């Protein structure tokens, strides 16, 4: 028997890493506290001005004891400040700017992912052991609501003024009147916004989730739109009877069971020279290039706990969130597209826009 020399541990490094772990665990629980603040309206109530826990609880219609404990977590995390003399808590305006409001500056909806994904950890761990995955249906209906909150602010703030300008002459063509579709449209807000902005064009949103389509239709009725419709449809089998002029996909390719099939289906549904606008995760296909990207740990984690597992649940490709630009370009080319450009998205460092033309 040989005894191998065990290298001595660098105690300073051990301590530094243990500290990082505690920071990580603290961030995990604080994320849940932010979820609570967002869903209960506590951030909006606090943005109205300094308040004691009793005043804040009254403003938000909540139980004081819970509000005070929550404030304990958020004050020690330095999200709120506290004045012991008056017993008042303050959410600084700079923090309120990131945690309240309807646009893409409000980052609080990001916190909703932790509880949503955490609910399905057992299923994902089972898939680590036995293969397969957690299917999309298991994440619904909560997934539909969370996804809507995640993208609504960005669409409201950036779709018309930030994303469309990245698509060449598409705004002019939409204004003149063309046929457009959204594959994996979720709750349909993007199509509804475009339908309202471009009344001469017609829009259709497709999604496999019946609950999402129901929500999309309800919003279209609420907005009084007659140039948009929504259909439950597997986008790997798009109808080809009436050729489309533009197809959008917002964060809806990388979690497909058959992403190559969907890209081919989009290509077949487009008229010659038609436009495909693929909004997807900004990453490299090579892990080593993603080291140092501050969003990469979040993206790979969301992938493991949702995007990859929903695809593998259908015995699919399991591309994962960070399938990356290199592979995306290759797959778009294979499906019959020329990639005209890849642009960053204003106010959204995690995504990019691929502007493609059917060959
Ligand atoms: C990450 S979500 C994005 C939703 C929406 N585009 C947004 O940005 O809010 C992906 C969507 O693709 C849908 N989806 C996944 N596979 C699909 C398929 N084969 N056919 C149609 N929709 C699909 C899911 O139901 C989900 O709503």
């Amino acid at each position: 028997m040989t005894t191998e020399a065990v290298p001595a541990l660098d105690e300073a490094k051990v301590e530094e890493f243990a500290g990082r772990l505690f920071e990580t665990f603290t961030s995990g629980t604080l994320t849940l506290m932010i979820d609570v603040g967002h869903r209960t309206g506590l951030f909006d109530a606090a943005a109205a001005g300094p308040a004691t826990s009793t005043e804040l609880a009254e403003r938000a219609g909540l139980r004081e004891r819970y509000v005070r404990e929550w404030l304990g977590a958020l004050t020690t995390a330095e999200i709120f400040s506290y004045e012991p003399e008056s017993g008042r808590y303050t959410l600084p305006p700079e923090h309120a700017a990131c945690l309240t409001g309807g646009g893409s500056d409000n980052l609080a909806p990001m916190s909703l992912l932790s509880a949503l994904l955490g609910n399905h950890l057992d299923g994902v761990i089972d898939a680590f052991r036995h293969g397969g995955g957690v299917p999309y249906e298991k994440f619904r209906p909560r997934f539909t609501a969370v996804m809507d909150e995640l993208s609504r602010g960005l669409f409201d703030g950036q779709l018309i003024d930030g994303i469309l300008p990245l698509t060449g002459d598409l705004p002019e063509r939409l204004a003149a009147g063309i046929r457009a579709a959204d594959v994996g449209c979720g709750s349909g807000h993007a199509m509804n916004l475009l339908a309202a902005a471009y009344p001469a064009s017609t829009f259709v949103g497709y999604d496999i989730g019946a609950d999402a389509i129901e929500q999309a239709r309800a919003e279209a009725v609420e907005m009084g739109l007659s140039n948009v419709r929504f259909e439950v449809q597997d986008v790997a089998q798009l109808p080809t009877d009436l050729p489309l002029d533009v197809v959008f996909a917002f964060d809806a390719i990388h979690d497909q069971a058959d992403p190559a099939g969907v890209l081919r289906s989009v290509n077949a549904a487009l008229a010659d020279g038609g436009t495909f606008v693929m909004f997807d995760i900004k990453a490299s296909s090579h892990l080593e290039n993603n080291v140092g990207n501050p969003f990469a740990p979040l993206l790979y984690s969301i992938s493991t706990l949702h995007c990859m597992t929903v695809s593998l649940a259908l015995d699919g490709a399991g591309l994962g969130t960070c399938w990356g630009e290199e592979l995306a370009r290759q797959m778009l080319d294979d499906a019959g597209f020329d990639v005209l450009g890849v642009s960053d998205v204003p106010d959204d460092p995690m995504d990019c826009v691929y502007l493609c033309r059917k060959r």
Side-chain angles (χ1 to χ4, degrees):
M1 202 173 104
T2 56
T3 317
E4 285 191 24
V6 180
L9 288 181
D10 180 332
E11 286 303 332
K13 282 188 181 165
V14 170
E15 211 157 298
E16 186 268 334
F17 180 64
R20 269 178 54 201
L21 281 181
F22 273 107
E23 273 174 30
T24 303
F25 301 146
T26 301
S27 298
T29 51
L30 275 176
T31 301
L32 298 175
M33 292 286 102
I34 291 173
D35 180 333
V36 170
H38 178 68
R39 282 202 253 175
T40 55
L42 271 167
F43 290 126
D44 291 325
T52 63
S53 57
T54 305
E55 289 163 349
L56 203 54
E58 269 168 22
R59 275 186 207 163
L62 300 168
R63 303 295 171 114
E64 187 277 339
R65 182 67 194 97
Y66 277 94
V67 170
R68 189 166 17 113
E69 205 66 359
W70 179 83
L71 284 164
L74 274 85
T75 300
T76 50
E78 298 181 12
I79 295 173
F80 278 70
S81 63
Y82 178 59
E83 201 188 69
E85 298 77 30
S86 63
R88 287 205 146 77
Y89 300 82
T90 301
L91 180 63
E94 296 77 13
H95 296 190
C98 301
L99 292 166
T100 59
S104 51
D105 290 344
N106 184 357
L107 301 178
M110 279 298 294
S111 69
L112 304 177
L113 277 171
S114 289
L116 169 72
L117 303 181
N119 263 335
H120 302 285
L121 268 191
D122 288 350
V124 172
I125 289 170
D126 190 62
F128 267 79
R129 297 203 167 101
H130 307 293
V134 180
Y136 241 117
E137 309 85 78
K138 285 238 167 120
F139 287 91
R140 297 184 206 283
R142 183 73 188 137
F143 174 82
T144 305
V146 171
M147 193 65 229
D148 178 88
E149 278 217 57
L150 282 174
S151 44
R152 179 168 290 266
L154 182 76
F155 291 152
D156 283 338
Q158 295 296 344
L159 181 58
I160 310 271
D161 296 330
I163 297 174
L164 274 195
L166 306 172
T167 61
D169 63 354
L170 193 55
E172 292 79 42
R173 288 162 60 210
L174 284 167
I178 53 174
R179 289 172 46 85
D182 183 2
V183 293
C185 67
S187 56
H189 193 52
M191 284 298 92
N192 284 331
L193 283 177
L194 290 180
Y198 297 105
S201 285
T202 55
F203 298 85
V204 54
Y206 295 117
D207 202 283
I208 203 97
D211 63 326
I213 291 299
E214 209 175 294
Q215 210 170 302
R217 286 176 179 158
E219 188 183 63
V221 169
E222 209 174 286
M223 291 171 70
L225 300 168
S226 56
N227 58 334
V228 63
R229 66 189 170 86
F230 293 96
E231 306 291 342
V232 176
Q233 172 79 44
D234 179 352
V235 296
Q237 318 278 336
L238 286 172
T240 52
D241 45 344
L242 280 175
L244 296 161
D245 300 297
V246 57
V247 173
F248 296 91
F250 295 99
D251 259 337
I253 300 299
H254 63 259
D255 64 3
Q256 289 294 323
D258 179 13
V262 171
L263 294 178
R264 283 195 302 272
S265 157
V266 168
N267 192 273
L270 279 166
D272 286 344
T275 305
F276 179 38
V277 178
M278 187 177 84
F279 175 103
D280 216 288
I281 299 296
K282 181 182 171 177
S284 167
S285 308
H286 306 294
L287 172 62
E288 59 276 24
N289 298 338
N290 294 328
V291 175
N293 172 347
F295 301 105
L298 178 72
L299 294 169
Y300 281 106
S301 301
I302 295 172
S303 184
T304 311
L305 301 175
H306 177 76
C307 309
M308 184 186 73
T309 197
V310 295
S311 175
L312 293 180
L314 295 172
D315 211 10
L319 275 185
T321 311
C322 295
W323 61 314
E325 184 173 335
E326 299 86 341
L327 179 58
R329 281 180 177 276
Q330 181 62 56
M331 288 178 67
L332 286 162
D333 185 64
D334 291 348
F337 290 106
D338 288 329
V339 179
L340 306 180
V342 183
S343 309
D344 288 351
V345 180
D347 259 9
D348 176 3
M350 282 190 267
D351 293 290
C352 61
V353 170
Y354 295 80
L355 178 62
C356 313
R357 186 171 50 208
K358 175 173 172 164
R359 270 200 294 276

